[in-house]
Amino acid sequence: MPSEEEEIINLIAQELTAGKSVDSVAGELVQAGLPQDEAYTVVNAVAQQMSRRGGPAPGGGGGGGGGGGINWGLWMMIIAIGVLAYIILRR
């Protein structure tokens, strides 16, 4: 079962694969409560990682989460740090 961070990364990748712009996806994250700079950082990181591996596979990459060259642990850590920083700074 994927963690919350993995689910967020997968959703961002799916949105980008479906043709949405970085601005559009980041805007959705901002509406969900993520600070704008962090939203852009995360979306840009996912977009860069997708382009490094030659773009998304046709049909959304098909089932099962093997990673496909993306270092999911690193992206989960980046998102977790960003969320924790946001929570701490809001206090």
Side-chain angles (χ1 to χ4, degrees), residues 26-88:
E28 291 176 13
L29 293 174
V30 170
Q31 287 179 352
L34 197 64
Q36 185 173 355
D37 58 335
E38 290 182 29
Y40 274 95
T41 299
V42 171
V43 175
N44 282 322
V46 173
Q48 286 176 356
Q49 193 68 292
M50 289 171 63
S51 68
R52 282 188 195 141
R53 63 173 217 195
I70 294 178
N71 186 344
W72 291 113
L74 175 63
W75 297 118
M76 289 184 341
M77 188 181 315
I78 290 170
I79 291 174
I81 289 169
V83 170
L84 288 173
Y86 176 68
I87 290 169
I88 291 169

Side-chain angles (χ1 to χ4, degrees), residues 8 11 35 54 64 91:
I8 292 169
L11 288 172
R91 289 186 174 189

